[in-house]
Amino acid sequence: MNDMWLATAPLWLVGVVFVLLLLAALELGYRFGVFQRHRWPNQEVGGGTVVQSALLALLGLMLAFTYGASVSRFEARKTAVIDEANALTSAFNIAGMLGGEGEALRHVYLNYTNSRLEAHRRYLRDRDMQSVLARSLEAQDRILPAVDAIVANDGTASGPMSGMIVSSMNAVLNVHTLRLAAIRDRLPGAVIWLQLMVAGTALAVAGFNTGLSVRISRWRILAFCIVIAAVMVVILDFDRSADGFIQVSQLSLEEAAASMSSALTTASTTEL
């Protein structure tokens, strides 16, 4: 199992594997404690409780920081969607200032916005980043020729207006790069495996301590293992932009596309 497995395996399967590994660590510690109980009658000897408490505290600290980092990545993806919707809406409105000459560019921006929504839907369905990226870049390639056609016409767009058109186009292209970077930014798998190791070690020590007294409450330990595994699965879920339970809303882009479509429809009706 490696980082790729953490990124592609179903989350329910990841959770089950984590719970089984933690239970295995506990059981091994317990069995070893039972074996050692005649030689080690007092579990306090050797700092057993101190080590167990320290490991659990370390685990809690790691989970808190990792959870915060995953939430930050999730918020970055949400912000990227909003920024892209704002950039596309601004570019569309600036193109509308040109009158009839800007209509072609407005249609290009609307088609590109729809392509971005379609790209997201394809990514959720196919999980093929390269195919989705190729389709998105194909739609993006239509923007520059449309802008060049307007900027080259000095009688239609010159000076400040030409600069606004180019600037808005650059904003659209730049935010696409930022959004792609936000999607690709994932928590290193080594961090999750380190958390699992610390949790397993803490449970092994706890199992050893209970083994010395030959008393163990398995349902309590099972509940503890499930809670730890659930927290780690949620941390991974925040990093899943294609198949996780926690998804970034595309509502901003959907509203931008609807607004653009409505504006073009109104403009066509007015001309008629």
Side-chain angles (χ1 to χ4, degrees):
M1 288 183 285
N2 52 27
D3 291 5
M4 185 58 66
W5 183 82
L6 288 175
T8 58
L11 287 172
W12 66 267
L13 178 60
V14 175
V16 170
V17 170
F18 283 176
V19 170
L20 292 178
L21 290 176
L22 293 176
L23 287 176
L26 169 71
E27 190 65 25
L28 287 174
Y30 175 72
R31 295 295 179 184
F32 187 63
V34 171
F35 177 74
Q36 291 287 333
R37 69 182 185 277
H38 298 300
R39 302 179 185 178
W40 205 322
N42 186 0
Q43 64 177 348
E44 297 298 330
V45 176
T49 304
V50 174
V51 173
Q52 178 182 328
S53 300
L55 285 171
L56 290 174
L58 175 60
L59 175 62
L61 187 65
M62 290 181 63
L63 288 174
F65 278 108
T66 309
Y67 186 89
S70 295
V71 171
S72 296
R73 287 176 169 83
F74 180 75
E75 291 296 330
R77 289 195 291 273
K78 287 174 59 178
T79 302
V81 173
I82 296 172
D83 288 344
E84 184 169 38
N86 289 336
L88 284 165
T89 301
S90 297
F92 180 84
N93 292 335
I94 290 173
M97 297 178 185
L98 300 174
E101 293 294 334
E103 287 304 299
L105 181 57
R106 297 179 90 191
H107 280 284
V108 169
Y109 279 128
L110 174 58
N111 292 335
Y112 178 66
T113 304
N114 289 329
S115 76
R116 299 296 293 135
L117 291 170
E118 178 61 24
H120 179 73
R121 288 189 287 268
R122 284 181 175 273
Y123 186 37
L124 293 179
R125 184 176 65 249
D126 303 333
R127 305 181 194 176
D128 186 355
M129 173 63 78
Q130 295 303 320
S131 175
V132 170
L133 182 58
R135 289 177 176 270
S136 182
L137 292 177
E138 181 181 348
Q140 191 181 97
D141 288 340
R142 301 190 184 99
I143 298 177
L144 184 58
V147 171
D148 283 340
I150 293 176
V151 174
N153 189 347
D154 295 333
T156 303
S158 61
M161 183 58 71
S162 178
M164 291 175 63
I165 294 172
V166 174
S167 178
S168 62
M169 178 195 68
N170 288 336
V172 169
L173 300 182
N174 290 340
V175 78
H176 173 265
T177 303
L178 291 175
R179 188 177 176 190
L180 187 61
I183 292 175
R184 288 173 169 171
D185 186 19
R186 293 180 177 272
L187 187 71
V191 175
I192 298 297
W193 292 122
L194 178 60
Q195 287 179 349
L196 189 63
M197 185 197 73
V198 173
T201 304
L203 285 170
V205 173
F208 179 80
N209 290 339
T210 55
L212 293 178
S213 59
V214 200
R215 290 181 298 179
I216 184 172
S217 178
R218 295 187 182 277
W219 72 267
R220 295 178 184 176
I221 298 298
L222 175 61
F224 184 64
C225 292
I226 291 175
V227 169
I228 294 177
V231 173
M232 289 193 289
V233 167
V234 169
I235 290 172
L236 287 173
D237 196 2
F238 275 120
D239 259 4
R240 297 281 188 99
S241 54
D243 60 336
F245 299 110
I246 306 172
Q247 290 292 320
V248 174
S249 173
Q250 305 296 306
L251 182 60
S252 298
L253 270 180
E254 291 172 359
E255 291 178 344
S259 176
M260 292 178 191
S261 180
S262 176
L264 288 174
T265 302
T266 302
S268 299
T269 303
T270 302
E271 290 177 1
L272 294 176

